[in-house]
Amino acid sequence: MSEARFEVDPWTIGIHGLDADRLAHEESVFGLSNGHLGWRGNLDEGDPRGLAGSYLNGVFEEHPMPHAEDGYGYPDAGQSVINVQNGQIIRLLVDDEPFDLRHGELTSHSRRLDLRDGTLTREFDWTSPTGRRVSVRSTRVVSFTHRAAAAVRYEVEAVGGACEITVLSELLANEPLPIVHEDPRVQDLLTEPLETVEADVVGDRATLIHRTRRSGLTIAVTMEHHVDGASAATTTEADEDLARTTIRARLDPGERLDIVKIVAHEWSSDLSAATLRDRAETAADAALADGWDRLVDGQRRTLDDFWACADVVVEGEPRLQQAVRFALFQVFQAAVRAELRSVPGKGLTGSGYEGHTFWDFEAFVLPVLTATAPHAAEQALRWRHSTLGHARDRARLLHLDGASFAWRTIDGRESSGYWPASTAAFHINADVAAAVLHYVRATGDVDFERDYGLEILAETARLWVSLGRHDADGAFHIDGVTGPDEYSAVVNDNVFTNLMAQLNLRGAAAATRRHPDRARELGIRGDEPERWDAVADAMHIPFDHSRGVHPQSAGYTDLERWDFEATSQDQYLLQEHFPYFDLYRKQVLKQADLVLALHLAHEAFTPEEKARAFEYYEALTVRDSSLSASAQSVIAAEVGHLELAYDYLAEVATIDLDDVHGNTHEGLHMAALAGGWTAIVAGFGGMRDTAEGFLFRPRLPSRLARLGFGVRIHGETLRLDVTQTATTYRYSGGDPLRIRHFDEEIVLEGAEVTMPTPALSPPGARPTQPAGRAPLPAGEAFDQPAGEPG
């Protein structure tokens, strides 16, 4: 875990000074995105850097999938995100000295990510080795209003004496990702994935068009500039992998050169290079015509609208306030203009996980988007719908009915070669279905349910019927599957999977009855809804009566427990020190599995069952996954262990700002960032989505004086203001909204309603974790020294 270094401020993430060893971490934190386009927070001049990063959502290179031994159904091709043409680069020469942070004298250097303006600002003061001094301010945006465009405003001022300024503004292709693969076929493809199609210059506008060598995707990137503030000479040239605009000016003391650089990005799998060039150049022209001030104003207006509902207000914990806003900002910007794309596990902030989307998008990220930016959630669900063709093909390959969504993918095709964790992890299909059901209940979007949701629900329901079996007593079992926990694999009757499949089946049957005409168009047979309900009713949910808990899967509680006392702390992550076959046959959890079911299928458990199960699985969960702490926080709060829930919240809230897992340099943990919001809203807010409407059970840990948050329900905003003793509800809608506050139904209609918080029954002794795996106390996580705002 890295020491916290960012200034504590409620609306910004800032840092003073420069540490080359931490650049990769900071580049992820300072990454900007709009869901279509992502720029890592690289320094303008491109060097030094940790990892170069310019990404387009959905752009990847395909490569052979090496297998130790071939097997039926194994994917034969993998997918990896690549860097597209990089338009971030702006190099500076003062007289004839190249600006380099490692030479000359750097008097000051700071960077600041503004969570309300959607800008990344960098300021530095530098004296060249020959004594020429300049002050530079660089401000960067990835536009929310111009989907294809990013922009940089680069201002150079001469300080103390006159100087000659040369700015080299570049587009650079084939910057390698830090991927080293043992298969030279894969390494060669990923080292230089782009082949040149065109390199065009018209006046001072340059466009590079490239195509991926194997996946056949065409990418066009255009750059244009507006120069102001000094008499400058400008020339532009382009070659296969490099376009450069050179801007030269002489500055007198106090004089400033002001450059606005617009970079527009388009890509397609089927459009011609000429069409993409026209689109990219048109997008650049439109952004340049709007001008810098309008671009920045568009960022602020978009974020003002988002924060009006989404903002979480925390009193009593400044670092938590900052961290939760940072998390919400990152989740929002990862999806706001994705438009028929998903959110990869790292968003567009790094190349970790090879740029793949996993099940945790639907399980962790989509609930946050549904509650705060439902338009983005709808687009992401429509992307899943667009991959149904691949999902149907995958199901047929596996000799199953319906559709089987990819566990790990970029374009909808399965891209994991490790089948116990991918092919067998069928729960992803129920996770997608659950996201559909939650989105429709929260938004009331009947059109989406009819046009897209029903088909997803029906095809996944068909999968479950063909995947499972009835025993002699009529109970329905799902054998040979892998649940969320990655230290267990290929088990029978995983409780999470069975319960989520049950919700999927019932949801599909109900949606079919709501849309009979659409059901007929989709070829849903008249007897299928009844069968889906019957299978859901017969679903076997194992229970260990001797221990009084649900086993994670059939027979799980009878397995030998992992020897935690004999496991040293330097042997975590366990997967890096022990063979999977040993992990698979012991009681040890990488991440919440049954505990996640306690949240997402909450109506299937009694309060007593939740309390016993949480205690049991706390003693087995080592949290080698970033997905675990938020689920554990939610259930800890529900069963009354508010301080333990707060400790878990501290871990998930600081996961990237403090680099808790030591791998933020690969990109941010988008699902964990979303999990921080969930730990607050579903944990301390007690929010649950039920068939009868929304339920809230708000309670605060001792360190929080007040908590406020908002969610969108049917297009309107419901805000909660929670104190230690009461909760005030405010609803912006004109129609009455019925919700439950603990066990009492209330109707929100115009006026705010304040409800008292019932007394908390003592929850018993605090559950224990495996030796050395307890979460860091929140006080240590939130109170450790960090920078102060400038």
Side-chain angles (χ1 to χ4, degrees), residues 281-524:
E281 292 178 354
T282 299
D285 288 343
L288 196 63
D290 256 7
W292 177 259
D293 290 342
R294 285 188 180 180
L295 283 174
V296 173
D297 182 61
Q299 299 293 97
R300 181 66 183 238
R301 284 186 286 105
T302 302
L303 284 166
D304 281 349
D305 181 65
F306 172 70
W307 290 120
C309 168
D311 189 24
V312 172
V313 178
V314 177
E315 285 188 7
E317 205 73 86
R319 290 202 72 220
L320 175 59
Q321 178 67 88
Q322 178 188 47
V324 69
R325 284 180 174 147
F326 170 74
L328 278 165
F329 173 83
Q330 290 293 349
V331 169
F332 176 71
Q333 72 162 359
V336 58
R337 297 301 306 273
E339 294 172 17
L340 295 180
R341 302 300 313 175
S342 184
V343 174
K346 295 291 187 180
L348 299 177
T349 66
S351 58
Y353 306 137
E354 298 182 89
H356 293 166
T357 293
F358 297 80
W359 68 277
D360 46 78
F361 172 68
E362 278 83 11
F364 289 80
V365 179
L366 259 180
V368 183
L369 293 175
T370 297
T372 61
H375 63 285
E378 186 259 354
Q379 288 288 306
L381 288 170
R382 285 180 58 189
W383 170 77
R384 275 293 185 192
H385 179 269
S386 76
T387 70
L388 268 172
H390 293 312
R392 290 189 182 100
D393 291 343
R394 184 68 177 161
R396 282 194 293 269
L397 182 68
L398 301 175
H399 301 161
L400 296 168
D401 296 334
S404 182
F405 286 108
W407 182 77
R408 178 172 185 153
T409 189
I410 294 178
D411 74 346
R413 292 173 292 169
E414 182 58 67
S415 191
S416 171
Y418 185 59
W419 69 269
S422 56
T423 300
F426 286 100
H427 68 85
I428 185 173
N429 299 287
D431 302 330
V432 173
V436 169
L437 295 170
H438 175 66
Y439 170 80
V440 172
R441 283 196 296 263
T443 64
D445 190 345
V446 177
D447 291 343
F448 169 83
E449 181 181 56
R450 180 190 61 246
D451 296 339
Y452 303 100
L454 176 58
E455 192 171 8
I456 292 174
L457 295 170
E459 290 290 59
T460 49
R462 287 167 172 163
L463 175 80
W464 297 116
V465 173
S466 66
L467 183 62
R469 64 177 175 86
H470 289 279
D471 65 18
D473 296 324
F476 191 81
H477 301 266
I478 303 176
D479 300 327
V481 299
T482 297
D485 172 44
E486 295 170 29
Y487 287 167
S488 308
V490 195
V491 300
N492 297 336
D493 287 326
N494 171 255
V495 169
F496 177 90
T497 301
N498 286 18
L499 285 173
M500 296 298 285
Q502 186 180 63
L503 292 173
N504 186 168
L505 289 158
R506 287 176 175 156
T512 299
R513 296 184 182 107
R514 284 193 292 270
H515 304 285
D517 293 341
R518 177 60 173 157
R520 282 190 292 272
E521 291 175 6
L522 294 172
I524 299 174

Side-chain angles (χ1 to χ4, degrees), residues 153-166:
R153 183 175 185 179
Y154 195 80
E155 303 166 271
V156 185
E157 181 181 343
V159 180
C163 57
E164 295 286 341
I165 296 296
T166 303

Side-chain angles (χ1 to χ4, degrees), residues 243-270:
R244 176 184 293 137
T245 294
T246 303
I247 303 166
R248 293 186 173 91
R250 176 177 177 80
L251 299 183
D252 291 327
E255 194 174 7
R256 178 174 298 183
L257 176 65
D258 189 341
I259 302 168
V260 174
K261 177 180 184 178
I262 303 293
V263 189
H265 310 69
E266 293 286 353
W267 74 271
S268 175
S269 60
D270 50 21

Side-chain angles (χ1 to χ4, degrees), residues 418 485-489 556 559-564 566-567 571 574-575 577-589:
Y418 185 59
D485 172 44
E486 295 170 29
Y487 287 167
S488 308
Y556 185 82
L559 297 177
E560 180 184 357
R561 286 198 171 207
W562 187 265
D563 191 345
F564 296 106
T567 305
Q571 289 179 300
L574 295 180
Q575 68 199 48
H577 298 89
F578 298 93
Y580 271 111
F581 87 89
D582 201 17
L583 296 168
Y584 289 165
R585 62 197 184 98
K586 302 284 180 61
Q587 289 192 70
V588 56
L589 305 182

